[in-house]
């Protein structure tokens, strides 16, 4: 069972690690992202060494049959220590978090040294015990010390992680963040269940009872479930970025491709952290190139067709702008310049409030919300790409108006 379960858990953890690593590489100065990224890497290492085939291979290569047990438990301690560093940086200002983080690092190093010393001194080097190390050696005092330090550090890290997530949840406005910080404490419950079950199994051994199945099957299952749920919880806040990139790739890039003929040599000189925002800036630049080809007469035609179709709100505004862009590109292809060159996309679209103001902010203005701008551009790109029936109707009417009289 664990020969299949652990590789699956490893794959999940590595996927979560790779996803968070991308976030961290975009902002390597954020200690919270760095700590979570390391935590996911360490727990992946733990599952890797726990895979029976890997466990036996490490023992055979090193000459220490149960060395992977030390590797697994050390990886988990490092994981929970990283989570505590993240928690400290979430709960405190950076100037206070740094000394607290150093204390955590020193405490973790001390715990690892004690674990390594107890493991080296304990009589656990006779033969490999892939799944039943704790149950087999739970009567050995040095192993009890080894497990006590491990479970104590592990449980403390989990509790602190759960507390900080519960503190964040009431203030989380974004739903994916709220779901993520809600899932982490659920995973912590399973993780703490693992600790409790291990302690019960060891205590039972000292009392003369046999609860090996609790230590070798039930507890690892609880830990695997907890780690998997927590990994999902830590990744969920990144989902909006994934969805944003997917929408930009599907709706904004085709619009950008259609605008390219306006200036094939356009150089994107704005360096931004993500591809979707580079596409956005390039699209904005090309839309400025389109201004002389925007015919003011298209606006009432597009609005009339949009109203006839029952469009309202965002969809109406985006469809009107898609029709303006499509008509402008036709004018460019035909060499006509019906516009004055002063019209701007979206300034006359009927969008009101901050949504319309977004376009008018200069790029250096701190109030310019690129996320909001990307949202509107994707809406327009979607109506343009399909194209929306209203866009087709507007272009057809314009073609009729330009047809020579019989």
């Amino acid at each position: 069972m664990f020969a299949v379960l652990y590789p699956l858990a490893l794959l999940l953890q590595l996927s979560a690690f790779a996803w968070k690593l991308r976030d961290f590489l975009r902002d390597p100065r954020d200690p919270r992202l760095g700590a979570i990224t390391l935590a996911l890497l360490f727990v992946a290492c733990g599952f890797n060494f726990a895979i029976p085939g890997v466990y036996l291979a490490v023992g055979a290569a090193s000459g220490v049959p149960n060395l992977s047990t030390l590797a697994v438990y050390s990886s988990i301690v490092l994981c929970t220590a990283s989570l505590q560093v993240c928690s400290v940086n979430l709960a405190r200002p950076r100037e206070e978090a740094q000394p607290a983080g150093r204390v955590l690092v020193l405490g973790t190093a001390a715990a690892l040294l004690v674990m390594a010393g107890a493991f080296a001194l304990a009589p656990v080097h006779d033969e490999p015990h892939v799944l039943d190390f704790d149950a087999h050696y739970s009567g050995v005092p040095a192993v009890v010390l080894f497990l006590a330090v491990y479970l104590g550090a592990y449980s403390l890290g989990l509790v602190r992680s759960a507390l900080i997530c519960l503190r964040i949840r009431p203030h989380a406005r974004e739903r994916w963040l709220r779901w993520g910080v809600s899932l982490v404490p659920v995973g912590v419950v399973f993780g703490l269940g693992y600790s409790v079950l291990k302690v019960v199994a060891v205590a039972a051994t000292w009392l003369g009872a046999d609860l090996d199945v609790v230590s070798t099957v039930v507890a690892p299952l609880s830990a695997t479930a907890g780690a998997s749920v927590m990994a999902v919880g830590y990744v969920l806040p990144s989902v909006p970025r994934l969805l944003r990139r997917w929408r930009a790739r599907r709706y904004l890039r085709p619009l950008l491709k259609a605008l390219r003929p306006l200036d094939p040599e356009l150089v994107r000189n704005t360096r931004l952290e993500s591809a979707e925002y580079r596409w956005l800036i390039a699209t904005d630049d090309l839309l400025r190139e389109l201004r002389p080809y925007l015919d003011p007469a298209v606006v009432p035609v597009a609005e009339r067709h949009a109203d006839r179709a029952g469009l309202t709100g965002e969809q109406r505004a985006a469809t009107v702008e898609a029709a303006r862009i499509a008509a402008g590109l036709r004018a460019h292809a035909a060499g006509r310049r019906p516009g004055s060159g002063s019209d701007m996309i979206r300034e006359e679209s009927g969008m009101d409030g901050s949504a319309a103001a977004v376009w008018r902010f200069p790029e250096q203005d701190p109030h310019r919300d690129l996320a909001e701008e990307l949202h509107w551009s994707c809406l327009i790109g979607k109506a343009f790409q399909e194209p929306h029936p209203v866009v087709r109707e507007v272009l057809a009417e314009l073609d009729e108006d330009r047809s020579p009289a019989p």
Side-chain angles (χ1 to χ4, degrees), residues 391-405:
V391 175
R392 290 197 297 266
E393 292 168 3
V394 170
L395 295 178
E397 181 173 329
L398 293 175
D399 287 342
E400 291 178 2
D401 293 342
R402 294 192 182 100
S403 299

Side-chain angles (χ1 to χ4, degrees), residues 26-384:
R26 287 189 172 98
D27 189 6
R29 292 175 295 180
D30 189 338
R32 298 166 298 181
L33 278 176
I36 290 180
T37 303
L38 280 177
L40 293 169
L41 175 61
F42 286 136
V43 75
C45 290
F47 278 114
N48 175 63
F49 287 114
I51 296 172
V54 176
Y55 190 106
L56 294 173
V58 170
S62 64
V64 182
N66 294 301
L67 183 60
S68 281
T69 293
L70 178 62
V72 171
Y73 290 177
S74 297
S75 297
I76 300 305
V77 169
L78 288 169
C79 167
T80 53
S82 299
L83 293 179
Q84 290 184 75
V85 171
C86 176
S87 300
V88 167
N89 280 276
L90 283 170
R92 303 181 186 181
R94 182 165 296 188
E95 58 274 11
E96 296 180 14
Q98 287 179 345
R102 285 192 289 268
V103 171
L104 282 170
V105 170
L106 292 174
T108 301
L112 292 176
L113 285 174
V114 172
M115 288 171 58
F119 179 85
L121 295 175
V124 296
H125 311 297
D126 48 354
E127 58 182 358
H129 290 275
V130 180
L131 300 176
D132 64 339
F133 178 91
D134 300 347
H136 186 80
Y137 296 113
S138 56
V140 178
V143 172
V144 173
L145 173 63
F146 172 76
L147 293 175
V149 175
Y150 158 61
L151 292 174
Y154 170 72
S155 301
L156 177 62
L158 291 184
V159 169
R160 296 191 69 171
S161 299
L163 290 177
I164 194 64
C165 287
L166 292 174
R167 189 184 306 175
I168 292 172
R169 190 183 186 283
H171 307 287
R173 297 181 180 180
E174 210 286 316
R175 61 175 179 173
W176 292 99
L177 174 60
R178 187 166 59 252
W179 292 345
V181 297
S182 299
L183 271 182
V184 170
V186 175
V188 167
V189 171
F190 283 99
L192 292 177
Y194 162 82
S195 297
V196 171
L197 292 171
K198 284 287 186 181
V199 170
V200 168
V202 172
T205 300
W206 282 78
L207 295 174
D210 182 4
L211 292 179
D212 286 359
V213 68
V214 172
S215 180
T216 59
V217 178
V218 182
L221 286 175
S222 184
T224 302
S228 301
V229 171
M230 291 177 67
V232 173
Y234 283 120
V235 167
L236 278 181
S238 299
V239 168
R241 181 170 62 81
L242 175 63
L243 296 176
R244 186 172 63 237
R245 184 179 179 85
W246 175 81
R247 283 177 56 83
R249 182 176 292 276
R250 182 173 182 182
Y251 300 125
L252 185 58
R253 287 189 72 185
L255 176 59
L256 174 60
K257 183 178 180 181
L259 292 167
R260 282 292 187 194
L262 291 165
D263 188 352
E265 303 301 323
L266 177 71
V267 177
R268 297 192 296 268
N269 56 11
T270 303
R271 299 185 64 184
L272 295 172
E273 64 177 12
S274 62
E276 57 266 31
Y277 287 138
R278 291 196 298 271
W279 302 334
L280 173 64
I281 296 303
T283 301
D284 285 354
D285 290 341
L286 288 169
L287 286 175
R288 290 186 177 90
E289 298 283 337
L290 187 65
R291 284 182 292 179
Y293 305 97
L294 296 176
D295 187 350
V298 175
V299 176
V301 176
E303 291 179 341
R304 173 162 45 83
H305 282 280
D307 293 338
R308 183 183 302 168
L311 303 183
T312 59
E314 293 181 350
Q315 188 179 16
R316 180 183 185 274
T319 304
V320 169
E321 291 314 306
R324 292 183 70 203
I325 293 172
L329 287 173
R330 283 197 174 187
H332 173 264
R336 293 183 287 103
R337 298 170 69 95
S340 63
S342 61
D343 288 340
M344 292 287 286
I345 297 298
R346 273 175 286 176
E347 281 197 341
E348 298 177 2
S349 66
M351 296 181 185
D352 53 12
S354 61
V358 164
W359 177 265
R360 301 190 184 106
F361 282 138
E363 292 183 8
Q364 67 271 20
D365 193 304
H367 295 95
R368 188 169 192 260
D369 187 344
L370 286 178
E372 184 69 16
E373 181 77 2
L374 183 64
H375 168 73
W376 286 113
S377 295
C378 286
L379 287 177
I380 294 171
K382 181 180 180 181
F384 175 86

Side-chain angles (χ1 to χ4, degrees), residues 18-28 33 37 238 241:
W19 184 254
K20 277 300 178 183
L21 181 62
R22 293 180 62 186
D23 290 339
F24 175 65
L25 292 178
R26 287 189 172 98
D27 189 6
L33 278 176
T37 303
S238 299
R241 181 170 62 81

